[in-house]
Amino acid sequence: ILFLTPIKKNLMRIEKISILSFVMKKIVKLHDVVFEYRKNQKLLIKIFSYSLLFYFEAFVIIYTACLAVDEDVHFIYVMLVMPMIYLLEALPISLNGHGIREGAFIYFFGEYGLAFEKAFAISIIVLFYRLLK
């Protein structure tokens, strides 16, 4: 979809009337960058593969943290929940997502049935791993 020229024209129209023009400008910029690299498909596939590998590694680390606190959370649940936690963590309402990340871990893993303390412990283990990495 990002490779289609009509998409950019529609985005630019929306940008003019939208209250969220800042966001629309970023989307148009993303479209321009992706459109520029559309002919270099090998590079795009390589970047996409590295991205998948990065997130798979992150999911394994979180799953391992769950095992470290003696909780057997299904790996698929980790894969479904973590993108939402990463999205919440990226919101610019705290420094580096501190507090938001822990709250998201407590909420989502609490919904799975983990105790408050264990969900918080998982988030702290993940934080320390990031700091050490």
Side-chain angles (χ1 to χ4, degrees), residues 3-133:
F3 294 132
L4 301 174
T5 305
I7 297 294
K8 181 179 179 184
K9 291 177 185 175
N10 290 327
L11 288 173
M12 291 179 80
R13 263 191 247 139
I14 294 170
E15 179 184 27
K16 292 176 185 173
I17 45 178
S18 176
I19 297 171
L20 301 172
S21 64
F22 175 76
V23 174
M24 295 309 294
K25 285 179 185 176
K26 295 292 183 184
I27 292 173
V28 168
K29 187 175 180 179
L30 174 66
H31 176 273
D32 290 343
V33 170
V34 172
F35 195 78
E36 193 174 311
Y37 286 100
R38 72 182 174 154
K39 292 179 183 172
N40 196 345
Q41 291 182 353
K42 287 182 182 179
L43 179 63
L44 288 175
I45 290 170
K46 190 175 183 180
I47 291 168
F48 183 72
S49 298
Y50 285 146
S51 177
L52 285 178
L53 186 62
F54 169 80
Y55 282 106
F56 183 75
E57 175 197 13
F59 298 151
V60 169
I61 290 165
I62 291 155
Y63 180 73
T64 306
C66 291
L67 295 177
V69 296
D70 201 28
E71 287 293 336
D72 189 20
V73 177
H74 288 175
F75 188 72
I76 298 207
Y77 185 77
V78 171
M79 289 174 54
L80 291 173
V81 166
M82 286 315 299
M84 291 182 280
I85 293 175
Y86 287 146
L87 184 63
L88 290 171
E89 177 183 18
L91 294 174
I93 54 179
S94 71
L95 293 173
N96 284 338
H98 295 297
I100 305 298
R101 174 184 40 255
E102 288 76 17
F105 267 92
I106 290 166
Y107 175 77
F108 287 112
F109 284 97
E111 289 291 315
Y112 187 79
L114 269 68
F116 170 88
E117 297 82 10
K118 290 198 177 189
F120 183 72
I122 293 167
S123 71
I124 296 300
I125 290 169
V126 171
L127 175 63
F128 279 128
Y129 178 79
R130 285 183 181 177
L131 292 173
L132 293 174
K133 191 174 178 184

